Amino acid sequence: MTDTLSRRSGGRAARRASRAAPLIDSLRPIRPGMSGGQYKPLSDADVMRIHQTALDALEQIGLADAPPSGVEYLTRAGAILGDDGRLRFPRALIEDTVARATKEITLFGRDPRHDMHLTGAKVHFGTAGAAVHMVDVDGRNYRECTVQDLHDAARIADVLDNIHFVQRPMVCRDIYDNFEMDMNTVYACCGGTTKHVGTSFTDPSYVKGALEMLHLIAGGEDKWRARPFVSNSNCFVVPPMKFATEACQVMEACIEGGMPVLLLSAGMAGATAPSTIAGAIVQATAECLAGLVYVNAVKPGHPAIFGTWPFGLDLRTGAMTGGSGEQALLSAGCAQMHKFYGVPGGAVGGITDAKLPDMQAGWEAMCSNVMSGLSGLNMVYEAAGMHASLLGFCHESLILSDDLIGHALRCVRGIEVDDETLGLEQIREVCLGGPGHYLGTGQTLSRMQSDYQYPSLGNRMSPKEWDENGKPDLLTETIARKQEILSERAAARFDPATDAAIRKAFNIHLPA
Amino acid sequence: MTDTLSRRSGGRAARRASRAAPLIDSLRPIRPGMSGGQYKPLSDADVMRIHQTALDALEQIGLADAPPSGVEYLTRAGAILGDDGRLRFPRALIEDTVARATKEITLFGRDPRHDMHLTGAKVHFGTAGAAVHMVDVDGRNYRECTVQDLHDAARIADVLDNIHFVQRPMVCRDIYDNFEMDMNTVYACCGGTTKHVGTSFTDPSYVKGALEMLHLIAGGEDKWRARPFVSNSNCFVVPPMKFATEACQVMEACIEGGMPVLLLSAGMAGATAPSTIAGAIVQATAECLAGLVYVNAVKPGHPAIFGTWPFGLDLRTGAMTGGSGEQALLSAGCAQMHKFYGVPGGAVGGITDAKLPDMQAGWEAMCSNVMSGLSGLNMVYEAAGMHASLLGFCHESLILSDDLIGHALRCVRGIEVDDETLGLEQIREVCLGGPGHYLGTGQTLSRMQSDYQYPSLGNRMSPKEWDENGKPDLLTETIARKQEILSERAAARFDPATDAAIRKAFNIHLPA
């Protein structure tokens, strides 16, 4: 069949060449911020029960361990401090907060081309995490990851169309001082990509230093505040239902500095959250609602992402697992809760438990990525490169994820139904006295680029072509692509004066 | 985090051992026939427009090339034969047929444990196709496939829980006589598995021989007719909008012989169907509606599966591609049309364009499988083992698909929301004076088996464990599993007397 068609279709080489050229934006079959929401794992009644149970938990159980400043902000807003030290949240306080919270957020890139508009069911995919290992694919080895690995990850992500943001995916294990590690993380990410960056801070006092660097990069505090291109990934709770005291203080400092906050609740179903999917979503929702009250108590309307990140657990071993079907359901269910509240939200997708970019890695990463996308999750974190249940990051996997996520985004785009796409006239012309096939119709040719997403490294050769081309191996080709990307000069590099100013103020570990 | 939890969780080895034992049915987290439908790529209005356009196409364009017998059946039912030789279908004829068609079908296994009840949004996954190559993973090679390869595929599928049926996935390239090939296909499949089998026949006259063999296997015609365990995969149309004359005659003979029919419309979007997803669904729907009229004109209520199988095309080359996002949308959109008509339906999932079971194979197979499952497709054909856009079949990929499809089925099962799963009381107990974690709660332990799906070959070790275990390689482990399965005696083998009777009547190529 394949061969027959190939012979039949003239101009194949020309079509291939025309398709290999970069597409103008209006013709791109996929782009950041396509709208999902066609997949709804929860019924409306389910969503309402989860909401009501989260309100019950906030009203009756509440959260412990808020810092003194948080207690002040929250009680002033209407939360009630119990004798047991827990802050409890009346239903009306939650409802009022949700009503007033910012519903539309722009996460800026250093380059405005990369701005992300978080609203409705618009979907974006990017990296995130805190891997401690670098996956060395060529050597089949796990080693400690370094600031250079992190910088390289940012550089690679910068050139991949379907990686929309770069939240720090791994920690710099070669920098032992926590302040230096945090500052170098900002430098390595922002110096590698002009896309939006996310990061965390170990200590509240470090935020000042980071802001100083960001003002330098932006060209002044006013410019930074106008378009903050870094957000704070903030684990403000230690599930179940406890504030993370220091992280809350970090959050207050970031709000003060004009940095958007990702309210990250990372419970593990069966360990730090209920083992049931519904229960884990309830708890994450309750915790993030408390976080939303906190942010809006500090500064009404400050941009905050509702970061319900429940993770799965392998209950046989008690070890985390991020590549399961349960994980995909957790994230998709959370996305529906975000839509219910109308607030921009994020959760995890794309994680694999596989140690290498093998078939397991492919099926696990796709399952949660495509389900997150179809559920309309605004921010799919950890979507690319995360292996071994988040312990390892892999550059080759990141590169392949550009194809994988592109594929998922094509599915998110969905099926257009209108007079033209229904094609009755075309069917009539082809069948009644026409050629009996659609290969040469104007509609087929015009839609070759706008409707179809083509993989970059994914291989579509016939077995014969594959054989004639020396049986290309996916990972070998990907390693070559990585080397190609990293051999080019990073486009996101700071100008020399800025770089010198940063290096004067901070101990930057990456070579100039 | 992983290590902390591992240390904390006592009885890990015991839990692992208890989970390794086979689960009793009531505890199985997944099973055949779970209900999907939470994902709807089409709005209700879209579905109605596709339906109306399909009716327009049937009324105005109709289908050419029906055999004389078909013309008689169909005109008697109410179709109109035009001067151009095309049969056109009035809307009322279609609507009446849909109203009267069988809405619930049981596809029987030789073993009743494997019966499949096709109704609503119940989902089943299995093999199918007509691959001409066997993928030799160890040698990274494509070679012609044989009847032994086919038999081995059936034997492997027989022991995999998440492969629910075995439609012939490849053709016996070592048998040159078409009649012998068809008979040996039935023998190789039925002799390898007691699950439901699907196959096709090259010539109408071959059906008699196949029925003779099936009567022998069943122990008499009455027993065959009571529980027909083989269905006819029938390409009754040559898209666009032409009946396949001989296949229609095969279909009539199968209906006469009591064999369920899969009405298979396999258009290729951009070549033999419109290039738009909506248009390809319109045409496949129209063609299968015509097929449904045909079947019900021959024998009212005969079990027929609505087999809208539109395939994707790489428009740059004109070559088929089965691993794209567009393919996943085609199949999921079709599933919604089946639900609209309330008839049991099938389409394709799980195909990859990759040549080997690599990361690309994983992401492509998962995408269409999980989307087909979530859309509630009753029969997901080609779900396992199909490579190189259907040209190659791979035993290792089939084995790995048991994990992949199990994962997808867990997603199809979805999220249960009730008082117990919402977990408010559990959250309260854990947080207010409790242990602060859920590891030892009764709910966590009781749900370890019933709620969580565990991969069999998919690897969840930590990098440290992986290293200590000699860095197991997914494909090496899968090859070993294949050898283990094939070294055991096939449970589905016929008893010696039956086997002798079959061998007396037919030239069976497999050794006894």
Side-chain angles (χ1 to χ4, degrees), chain A residues 1-2 5 9 12 15-16 19 38-40 46 49-50 53 56-57 60-61 86 140-142 240-241 268-279 282-283 313-319 321 323-326 329 353 355 357-360 362-363 366-367 371 374 388 391 397 403-404 407 410-411 414-419 421-422 424 427-428 431-432 436-439 443-444 447-448 451-454 458-461 463 466 471 473-474, chain B residues 1-2 5 9 12 15-16 19 38-40 46 49-50 53 56-57 60-61 86 140-142 240-241 268-279 282-283 313-319 321 323-326 329 353 355 357-360 362-363 366-367 370-371 374 388 391 397 403-404 407 410-411 414-419 421-422 424 427-428 431-432 436-439 443-444 447-448 451-454 458-461 463 466 471 473-474:
Chain A
M1 190 67 94
T2 303
L5 283 172
S9 63
R12 167 179 173 163
R15 283 218 294 283
R16 221 176 207 173
R19 185 57 187 77
Q38 307 91 334
Y39 166 52
K40 294 192 168 74
D46 290 344
R49 289 195 72 182
I50 290 173
T53 311
D56 287 342
Q60 299 166 23
I61 302 165
R86 302 184 77 90
R140 292 176 59 84
N141 196 38
Y142 273 59
M241 306 295 277
M268 280 195 285
T272 56
S275 72
T276 54
I277 296 171
V282 162
Q283 187 181 293
L313 208 70
D314 190 310
L315 291 179
R316 300 168 305 178
T317 59
T321 160
S324 68
E326 294 86 7
L329 288 167
D353 299 324
K355 260 53 70 188
D358 56 15
M359 186 166 163
Q360 178 190 355
W363 82 62
M366 177 54 93
C367 188
M371 283 173 59
L374 293 174
L391 290 173
S397 221
D403 275 358
L404 188 156
H407 190 128
R410 180 61 188 87
C411 297
I415 305 175
E416 286 94 5
V417 177
D418 55 39
D419 279 342
T421 59
L422 286 164
L424 182 64
I427 300 175
R428 195 193 316 273
C431 293
L432 301 183
H437 67 78
Y438 299 82
L439 282 167
Q443 237 210 13
T444 294
R447 288 180 174 273
M448 181 177 85
D451 277 21
Y452 284 73
Q453 185 258 340
Y454 300 97
N459 187 301
R460 289 185 170 179
M461 292 175 183
W466 182 66
K471 300 184 177 178
D473 174 76
L474 187 67
Chain B
M1 188 67 98
T2 303
L5 283 172
S9 65
R12 167 180 174 162
R15 281 217 297 282
R16 221 176 208 174
R19 186 56 187 75
Q38 307 90 336
Y39 166 53
K40 293 191 170 72
D46 290 343
R49 291 195 72 182
I50 289 173
T53 310
D56 288 341
Q60 299 165 22
I61 302 165
R86 304 184 75 91
R140 292 176 60 86
N141 196 37
Y142 272 60
M241 305 296 277
M268 281 195 285
T272 58
S275 72
T276 53
I277 295 171
V282 162
Q283 187 181 295
L313 207 70
D314 190 309
L315 291 179
R316 300 168 304 178
T317 60
T321 160
S324 68
E326 294 86 8
L329 288 167
D353 300 325
K355 260 51 70 186
D358 56 15
M359 185 165 164
Q360 179 191 355
W363 83 62
M366 177 55 95
C367 188
V370 75
M371 282 173 60
L374 293 174
L391 290 174
S397 221
D403 275 358
L404 188 156
H407 189 127
R410 180 61 188 87
C411 297
I415 305 175
E416 287 94 5
V417 177
D418 55 39
D419 278 344
T421 58
L422 285 164
L424 181 64
I427 300 174
R428 194 193 316 274
C431 293
L432 300 183
H437 66 78
Y438 299 80
L439 282 167
Q443 239 212 11
T444 294
R447 289 180 172 272
M448 181 178 83
D451 276 21
Y452 282 74
Q453 186 258 339
Y454 300 98
N459 187 300
R460 288 186 170 178
M461 293 175 182
W466 182 67
K471 301 183 178 177
D473 173 75
L474 187 67

Side-chain angles (χ1 to χ4, degrees), chain A residues 109-442:
Chain A
R110 262 171 67 216
D111 182 334
R113 260 190 323 134
H114 297 309
D115 288 359
M116 296 181 289
H117 307 286
L118 275 50
T119 178
K122 289 190 173 199
V123 179
H124 306 84
F125 289 90
T127 61
V132 293
H133 294 289
M134 186 74 212
V135 184
D136 165 17
V137 172
D138 214 12
R140 292 176 59 84
N141 196 38
Y142 273 59
R143 60 167 177 77
E144 302 262 298
C145 47
T146 67
V147 65
Q148 184 68 50
D149 294 326
L150 175 63
H151 182 58
D152 289 347
R155 290 184 56 191
I156 292 168
D158 194 56
V159 303
L160 303 176
D161 276 351
N162 301 318
I163 305 296
H164 305 142
F165 60 91
V166 179
Q167 187 155 305
R168 170 215 63 193
M170 52 189 148
V171 292
C172 307
R173 299 281 284 177
D174 55 341
I175 304 182
Y176 305 107
D177 177 86
N178 283 342
F179 176 73
E180 283 192 14
M181 184 180 74
D182 285 358
M183 298 307 109
N184 276 275
T185 296
V186 173
Y187 182 93
C189 291
C190 292
T193 184
T194 56
K195 298 181 180 180
H196 187 81
V197 162
T199 193
S200 68
F201 302 109
T202 319
D203 189 282
S205 67
Y206 298 175
V207 177
K208 189 168 169 286
L211 287 167
E212 192 185 329
M213 188 188 296
L214 293 170
H215 297 167
L216 284 171
I217 296 171
E221 181 173 352
D222 52 336
K223 288 187 179 152
W224 154 258
R225 285 188 176 267
R227 296 180 48 84
F229 47 85
V230 172
S231 54
N232 173 227
S233 168
N234 192 296
C235 288
F236 74 104
V237 283
V238 181
M241 306 295 277
K242 293 192 295 289
F243 282 110
T245 316
E246 290 218 326
C248 288
Q249 292 165 330
V250 168
M251 182 173 80
E252 293 177 21
C254 288
I255 294 172
E256 170 63 29
M259 194 183 291
V261 171
L262 162 62
L263 291 166
L264 203 167
S265 152
M268 280 195 285
T272 56
S275 72
T276 54
I277 296 171
I281 296 174
V282 162
Q283 187 181 293
T285 300
E287 289 166 345
C288 283
L289 285 171
L292 202 64
V293 175
Y294 199 149
V295 169
N296 282 278
V298 177
K299 189 177 172 194
H302 186 80
I305 297 156
F306 206 82
T308 47
W309 287 32
F311 287 112
L313 208 70
D314 190 310
L315 291 179
R316 300 168 305 178
T317 59
M320 201 194 127
T321 160
S324 68
E326 294 86 7
Q327 179 67 66
L329 288 167
L330 283 166
S331 292
C334 285
Q336 249 185 290
M337 297 311 299
H338 308 164
K339 306 284 149 284
F340 172 71
Y341 295 119
V343 295
V348 298
I351 306 165
T352 177
D353 299 324
K355 260 53 70 188
L356 295 166
D358 56 15
M359 186 166 163
Q360 178 190 355
W363 82 62
E364 292 184 348
M366 177 54 93
C367 188
S368 52
N369 270 336
V370 76
M371 283 173 59
S372 295
L374 293 174
S375 68
L377 189 63
N378 297 136
M379 296 285 281
V380 188
Y381 294 97
E382 320 232 36
M386 296 310 276
H387 282 262
S389 323
L390 301 184
L391 290 173
F393 187 81
C394 175
H395 287 147
E396 287 79 3
S397 221
L398 169 63
I399 292 170
L400 287 167
S401 295
D402 194 45
D403 275 358
L404 188 156
I405 292 170
H407 190 128
L409 276 170
R410 180 61 188 87
C411 297
V412 172
R413 170 173 159 181
I415 305 175
E416 286 94 5
V417 177
D418 55 39
D419 279 342
E420 195 190 337
T421 59
L422 286 164
L424 182 64
E425 291 318 310
Q426 201 191 163
I427 300 175
R428 195 193 316 273
E429 280 163 33
V430 163
C431 293
L432 301 183
H437 67 78
Y438 299 82
L439 282 167
T441 67

Side-chain angles (χ1 to χ4, degrees), chain B residues 28 31 46 76 95 103 126 205 226 235 276 296 303 319 340 347 367 377-378 445 483 496:
Chain B
R28 284 175 64 185
R31 60 196 79 197
D46 290 343
R76 207 186 301 154
E95 282 158 4
K103 301 295 189 308
S205 67
C235 288
T276 53
N296 283 276
F340 173 72
C367 188
L377 189 62
N378 296 136
L445 294 176
Q483 286 160 346

Side-chain angles (χ1 to χ4, degrees), chain B residues 241-326:
Chain B
M241 305 296 277
K242 292 191 295 289
F243 283 109
T245 316
E246 292 218 324
C248 288
Q249 293 165 329
V250 168
M251 183 173 79
E252 292 177 22
C254 289
I255 294 173
E256 170 63 28
M259 193 182 291
V261 171
L262 162 62
L263 290 166
L264 202 166
S265 152
M268 281 195 285
T272 58
S275 72
T276 53
I277 295 171
I281 296 174
V282 162
Q283 187 181 295
T285 300
E287 290 166 344
C288 284
L289 285 171
L292 201 65
V293 174
Y294 200 150
V295 170
N296 283 276
V298 176
K299 189 177 173 194
H302 186 80
I305 297 155
F306 205 82
T308 47
W309 287 33
F311 287 112
L313 207 70
D314 190 309
L315 291 179
R316 300 168 304 178
T317 60
M320 201 193 126
T321 160
S324 68
E326 294 86 8

